[in-house]
Amino acid sequence: MVLQQITAIAGKEFRDRVRNRWVWVIATVFAGFALAIAYFGAASEGQVGFRGIDVTIASLVSLVTYLIPLIALVLGFDVIVGERERGTMELLLALPVTRGEVLVGKFVGLAATLTVATVLGFGLAGAAFLTAGGDALFHYAGFVASAILLGLVFLAIAVLLSVLASDRARASGYAVGAWFLFVIVFDLVLLGGLIALGGSGAGDALPWLLLANPTDVFRILNVFSLDQVGALYGLATVFPPALANPAVLGGVMAGWIAAPLALAYWRFK
């Protein structure tokens, strides 16, 4: 693969998304939700205003777990199959580019779109913590970085689904199914299994099972980044600290990005 071809395709994909306002829509959604949660997160307790970074991150983790996977899947579900349906894929492949360069270039362009939108959106909310000190900003930056990783995971899954689908309708159905599977169904099935087994012998396997779901890996990354956040989540009592190492979990997320892309590349060739 030629880097110049990949960057050209990625640049066009990014410019197309900027022109159709995807970047600004996503950034506005993230900024609005993040600011609202940061300011009104404790309204049920009779308190409003910007509180500690721990409480804010704990609230934002729940938001990101639901919202970023959905946005990433919507952003990428038709990136390949849409080109096929419009008949532009044949024109693109008639140029001196390989299928692998097209696939990687489109993923990089979409990844840049999602990354810029996430940084802009959550960066605006992060401005509220400028007076909170360096530690707070450091932890908030780590949260934003983990949110970007989560988005890239589901963007890779979306690209794979777009390669596998025969039309946009099927691709959108696959994307909705993937969102339900990873965001809702997986944890419900896992919890049901633990209850059915009565916890006998299942507790030791739980941390490893959680690694099979990128949304759980994202939660764990942020749970163990701050003491107060860890206290707010039961995962902190069952997950071995050695396995909760950010480098280990970051490697797991990288694997979740690489695996769907490798499958998409193999299928698209």
Side-chain angles (χ1 to χ4, degrees):
M1 288 190 287
V2 180
L3 181 60
Q4 185 178 2
Q5 306 285 31
I6 294 173
T7 54
I9 295 170
K12 180 183 182 303
E13 190 70 30
F14 179 76
R15 289 190 296 272
D16 288 345
R17 301 293 172 166
V18 171
R19 276 197 295 268
N20 65 21
R21 299 184 177 88
W22 256 109
V23 171
W24 315 118
V25 170
I26 297 173
T28 301
V29 169
F30 285 163
F33 276 110
L35 286 170
I37 287 177
Y39 192 80
F40 296 106
S44 61
E45 302 173 9
Q47 301 179 26
V48 294
F50 296 106
R51 303 177 68 196
I53 189 69
D54 297 36
V55 176
T56 301
I57 288 180
S59 300
L60 288 175
V61 163
S62 298
L63 167 71
V64 167
T65 300
Y66 288 93
L67 191 59
I68 280 193
L70 181 62
I71 289 177
L73 289 166
V74 170
L75 187 63
F77 81 93
D78 67 340
V79 65
I80 298 297
V81 71
E83 295 265 16
R84 285 202 201 110
E85 285 197 347
R86 291 188 295 270
T88 53
M89 181 60 73
E90 289 77 7
L91 294 175
L92 182 58
L93 292 175
L95 299 173
V97 295
T98 66
R99 287 177 176 267
E101 290 166 351
V102 170
L103 185 73
V104 174
K106 285 187 169 294
F107 173 79
V108 172
L110 292 176
T113 302
L114 189 61
T115 299
V116 170
T118 303
V119 171
L120 287 175
F122 286 126
L124 180 60
F129 302 107
L130 289 177
T131 59
D135 286 345
L137 290 175
F138 174 78
H139 288 302
Y140 188 77
F143 159 75
V144 174
S146 65
I148 292 171
L149 275 178
L150 181 66
L152 295 182
V153 169
F154 279 90
L155 196 57
I157 293 172
V159 171
L160 173 60
L161 297 178
S162 188
V163 169
L164 296 176
S166 57
D167 54 61
R168 292 182 76 252
R170 290 180 185 273
S172 62
Y174 294 162
V176 171
W179 185 85
F180 272 103
L181 173 63
F182 287 109
V183 176
I184 297 176
V185 175
F186 182 93
D187 287 343
L188 288 177
V189 172
L190 189 59
L191 179 61
L194 289 173
I195 293 173
L197 294 173
S200 58
D204 295 336
L206 178 62
W208 300 98
L209 293 173
L210 291 174
L211 296 181
N213 186 350
T215 60
D216 286 327
V217 177
F218 166 76
R219 288 192 189 100
I220 295 162
L221 264 171
N222 289 282
V223 162
F224 285 92
S225 65
L226 293 166
D227 292 338
Q228 189 174 345
V229 178
L232 293 173
Y233 281 85
L235 288 175
T237 63
V238 299
F239 212 84
L243 197 57
N245 186 297
V248 173
L249 295 175
V252 173
M253 293 291 269
W256 265 107
I257 296 170
L261 286 179
L263 288 172
Y265 178 78
W266 171 76
R267 184 66 177 83
F268 190 55
K269 286 185 67 177

